Amino acid sequence: MKYLSLILILVFISCENKKDILLPKSNSSIVKDIQDHSPIYIFFETKGKDTIAEVNRKNSIISTNWILNIDKRLPLRLVIPEVMKLQQKKREEKAHKNEAAQNYYSYADTIGKNMAFIPFTEVYYKMAKPKSGTVVFFNKNNEIWVNNVAVKKEELANYLNTFGIDKQSKTTLCFDKNMKYGSYIQNKIFIRSLNFSKSELTPIIFNQEFVY
């Protein structure tokens, strides 16, 4: 239990001070081990009544795998813009670019009692509503809506598999900008666990996400 508590609360120690990050948690591991990595931290801070996402990337090396350790209490409206900046920096790097290097979010596997990771290298974020296509929207209360129709979590895969999706119409994942980052990670893990019978769903649903 003590070891699990240390995982759930990631402690960052610098020359100036010590800061804690409350990691998201789940009951499964997507990736258990990553070699040759650099840690990046996004802390939950408050200033008066305002919540602030404080980024520390002092130890990040472009050519390595990046692990983003982000506090689960932060809302997506603060987290995703910072993630987009980091992604852009790595994608635009030319001199030290490593095509094999990936980006991962960290979280705690409460069953395996280990740190776990979920890749997001190929995800392109937009802080806006999609203009067309099939919209799968997760609101801040973890309710799921597909084109404004409420769908139960356990029925989502079957609903999308039987939904009349035009192959020319994109299916996109969308998230409430006020959703907590911890819930976002749990939803991403849930989406990865689904089985889609329609081949056009799989590549699209993972590679583009809208936050609004």
Side-chain angles (χ1 to χ4, degrees), residues 7 11 40 50 84 129 162 165 191:
I7 293 174
V11 180
I40 295 174
D50 296 328
M84 291 170 69
K129 289 184 179 181
T162 57
I165 296 175
I191 286 290

Side-chain angles (χ1 to χ4, degrees), residues 1-11 21-24 107-110 112-116:
M1 182 61 70
K2 182 178 180 181
Y3 178 66
L4 178 59
S5 297
L6 290 174
I7 293 174
L8 292 173
I9 303 176
L10 187 65
V11 180
I21 287 182
L22 300 183
L23 288 178
Y107 64 97
D109 181 344
T110 56
K113 297 183 180 180
N114 57 270
M115 284 275 286

Side-chain angles (χ1 to χ4, degrees), residues 34-51:
I34 300 173
Q35 302 297 321
D36 189 24
H37 64 268
S38 298
I40 295 174
Y41 304 91
I42 302 184
F43 300 100
F44 175 93
E45 299 285 350
T46 57
K47 188 175 182 180
K49 295 182 179 180
D50 296 328
T51 298

Side-chain angles (χ1 to χ4, degrees), residues 22-28 30 68-72 74 76 79-80 83 104-109 116-120 125 138 142 153 175 179-193 209:
L22 300 183
L23 288 178
K25 53 186 178 180
S26 183
N27 58 5
S28 64
I30 303 298
L68 271 64
N69 305 292
I70 304 174
D71 198 295
K72 68 179 184 180
L74 288 166
L76 292 186
V79 170
I80 298 304
V83 171
Y104 299 87
Y105 293 126
S106 68
Y107 64 97
D109 181 344
F117 312 93
I118 181 169
F120 69 96
Y125 292 101
F138 291 76
N142 282 322
K153 196 171 185 177
F175 298 91
M179 174 181 287
K180 300 300 184 185
Y181 173 74
S183 296
Y184 168 69
I185 291 298
Q186 291 175 345
N187 285 322
K188 282 182 71 69
I189 294 169
F190 162 69
I191 286 290
R192 290 181 69 93
S193 72
E209 295 182 13

Side-chain angles (χ1 to χ4, degrees), residues 123-176:
V123 176
Y124 285 79
Y125 292 101
K126 289 188 177 181
M127 297 295 294
K129 289 184 179 181
K131 295 181 179 179
S132 61
T134 300
V135 173
V136 181
F137 181 72
F138 291 76
N139 69 17
K140 65 179 181 180
N141 298 317
N142 282 322
E143 298 168 331
I144 304 172
W145 298 78
V146 180
N147 285 358
N148 297 318
V149 175
V151 179
K152 292 182 179 179
K153 196 171 185 177
E154 61 272 18
E155 297 174 357
L156 180 60
N158 184 60
Y159 186 87
L160 290 176
N161 285 331
T162 57
F163 193 66
I165 296 175
D166 184 342
K167 289 187 177 182
Q168 302 302 316
S169 177
K170 289 185 178 181
T171 299
T172 54
L173 282 180
C174 303
F175 298 91
D176 191 323

